[in-house]
Amino acid sequence: MSKLQIHKAGTLSGHQNPIFAVENGPEPHMVFTGGNDKGVVQWDLNTMAFARILHPVQFSVYTLHLLPNTSLLAIGTREGKVHVVDIGTAKLLAKLAHHQRPVFDVKSFKTKPEMILSSEDGTVSVWDTDNFNLLYHFKVAQQTVRTIAISNDEQWVVFGTKDGKLKLYNALDYSFVSEIAAHTLPVTSLCFSPDGRYLLTGGRDAQLNVLNGTDFSIVNTFTPHLFTVYAIKYHPTLPIFATASRDKSIKIWSAEDFKLLRIISLEKGFDSHFLSINNIIWNSYKDQLISVSDDKKAMVWDVSL
């Protein structure tokens, strides 16, 4: 693979506190961020500038999720509530008040109108996305369910827990299938590869596991970072994926052989983050990677082969 070209396209400044969540909008030039501030911020990648406060919040935002093929953004908070906001009108359509502890992840399906929330209370709730009624809720772990991944064929839902386990459920009826011991410390990130061959898992133990996407056996394990792996994201079209860590670096890897291709960090000469990188997302507007950090900044990176 030829050397990746990486160029910093801009910095999105304005947050007064650490940023934990980043999500694309219904239009490619839109991106949303949330964290330890009093609002979810909308940015314009065309101008690399602040667009507006989309929605004010009273509690820290831990996760943002755009419902597929809609303009609806789900906002998961430290309070345990999830606000569903219409991006077009900025109206609050629903406030899902079920969990008593923080909501750390939200994921939804393309093939059925259902959305899954995971919480620090060890439970998961499933909501219908037509009327936002609670459909199911069940216990997954004794402690935090930190992260969720839905397989590409939407047959499986995987939950990553604080005790380092993966909990595999059938996505059709949410029946429990199996438990996989994946990490020695909490699972902090999960991601299926675009072709469905692999499930990647990252943890606070600084390990990355590669699991077979069919039988969920572990086929590879390596140490991608010095500290917690907070995010793993495959590029939508290129054969690469990115990881982000508390060690203040982003690393780009080959999706074919898991070789390290590039490191984005201050030490490597990039004008990059100087504190923990909490999340990343690929954006299709100009094939860019967006990273958010404890340093209160979002950064936009041009990545090309």
Side-chain angles (χ1 to χ4, degrees), residues 23-69:
E23 177 62 300
N24 291 317
E27 302 291 333
H29 63 88
M30 292 179 181
V31 69
F32 297 88
T33 55
N36 203 13
D37 274 344
K38 295 297 183 189
V40 174
V41 178
Q42 179 178 333
W43 307 88
D44 187 337
L45 294 179
N46 197 21
T47 57
M48 287 290 172
F50 170 87
R52 60 174 170 163
I53 301 283
L54 173 72
H55 183 67
V57 287
Q58 304 245 243
F59 295 87
S60 297
V61 171
Y62 285 157
T63 186
L64 296 170
H65 175 69
L66 180 72
L67 273 63
N69 306 311

Side-chain angles (χ1 to χ4, degrees), residues 255-268:
E256 291 156 349
D257 57 14
F258 302 101
K259 286 199 167 119
L260 178 62
L261 302 176
R262 293 294 298 276
I263 301 172
I264 302 172
S265 69
L266 289 169
E267 287 75 16
K268 294 296 180 182

Side-chain angles (χ1 to χ4, degrees):
M1 188 179 285
S2 59
K3 192 171 173 76
L4 275 176
Q5 301 299 310
I6 298 174
H7 163 74
K8 186 176 177 183
T11 299
L12 307 175
S13 300
H15 278 280
Q16 302 301 306
N17 288 291
I19 311 170
F20 304 131
V22 58
E23 177 62 300
N24 291 317
E27 302 291 333
H29 63 88
M30 292 179 181
V31 69
F32 297 88
T33 55
N36 203 13
D37 274 344
K38 295 297 183 189
V40 174
V41 178
Q42 179 178 333
W43 307 88
D44 187 337
L45 294 179
N46 197 21
T47 57
M48 287 290 172
F50 170 87
R52 60 174 170 163
I53 301 283
L54 173 72
H55 183 67
V57 287
Q58 304 245 243
F59 295 87
S60 297
V61 171
Y62 285 157
T63 186
L64 296 170
H65 175 69
L66 180 72
L67 273 63
N69 306 311
T70 75
S71 61
L72 306 184
L73 187 69
I75 302 164
T77 70
R78 184 167 61 84
E79 183 192 19
K81 293 185 172 61
V82 171
H83 302 215
V84 181
V85 176
D86 186 312
I87 292 165
T89 62
K91 282 189 177 160
L92 178 65
L93 298 187
K95 189 184 279 191
L96 313 183
H98 171 73
H99 295 283
Q100 304 300 308
R101 307 285 297 165
V103 169
F104 280 112
D105 205 1
V106 177
K107 290 288 190 297
S108 59
F109 293 87
K110 295 184 179 74
T111 55
K112 60 178 176 175
E114 291 178 15
M115 177 170 74
I116 310 175
L117 321 182
S118 73
S119 172
E120 190 182 277
D121 62 16
T123 72
V124 160
S125 59
V126 182
W127 302 75
D128 113 63
T129 53
D130 289 331
N131 305 299
F132 297 103
N133 296 318
L134 180 63
L135 299 175
Y136 316 102
H137 59 101
F138 50 94
K139 189 90 169 168
V140 169
Q142 291 306 309
Q143 299 181 77
T144 306
V145 183
R146 175 64 185 263
T147 182
I148 309 167
I150 299 172
S151 63
N152 301 23
D153 59 8
E154 304 203 333
Q155 302 276 312
W156 308 106
V157 183
V158 184
F159 301 107
T161 67
K162 190 174 181 179
D163 61 3
K165 306 277 200 317
L166 306 178
K167 304 291 184 86
L168 179 65
Y169 283 73
N170 187 314
L172 184 66
D173 58 5
Y174 301 103
S175 57
F176 175 72
V177 178
S178 66
E179 176 182 290
I180 302 157
H183 293 271
T184 57
L185 289 169
V187 181
T188 47
S189 48
L190 294 172
C191 185
F192 279 94
S193 61
D195 60 7
R197 278 184 69 195
Y198 300 113
L199 169 66
L200 272 50
T201 79
R204 194 168 291 165
D205 57 6
Q207 295 296 299
L208 191 148
N209 292 315
V210 182
L211 278 70
N212 181 304
T214 306
D215 64 12
F216 298 99
S217 59
I218 295 178
V219 295
N220 193 1
T221 298
F222 58 97
T223 307
H225 289 276
L226 297 174
F227 302 116
T228 308
V229 183
Y230 277 134
I232 306 166
K233 299 287 168 70
Y234 274 87
H235 190 283
T237 54
L238 296 175
I240 57 175
F241 67 92
T243 57
S245 170
R246 191 167 74 83
D247 70 8
K248 313 167 199 170
S249 74
I250 300 164
K251 296 188 180 181
I252 313 286
W253 308 81
S254 163
E256 291 156 349
D257 57 14
F258 302 101
K259 286 199 167 119
L260 178 62
L261 302 176
R262 293 294 298 276
I263 301 172
I264 302 172
S265 69
L266 289 169
E267 287 75 16
K268 294 296 180 182
F270 286 96
D271 177 21
S272 187
H273 298 286
F274 61 86
L275 292 173
S276 173
I277 301 173
N278 299 323
N279 217 329
I280 49 175
I281 195 164
W282 293 101
N283 178 279
S284 64
Y285 182 53
K286 293 179 181 172
D287 247 1
Q288 292 168 322
L289 182 70
I290 301 162
S291 54
V292 296
S293 167
D294 274 359
D295 66 14
K296 311 172 191 174
K297 292 184 174 69
M299 295 186 181
V300 184
W301 307 92
D302 292 323
V303 180
S304 59
L305 279 174

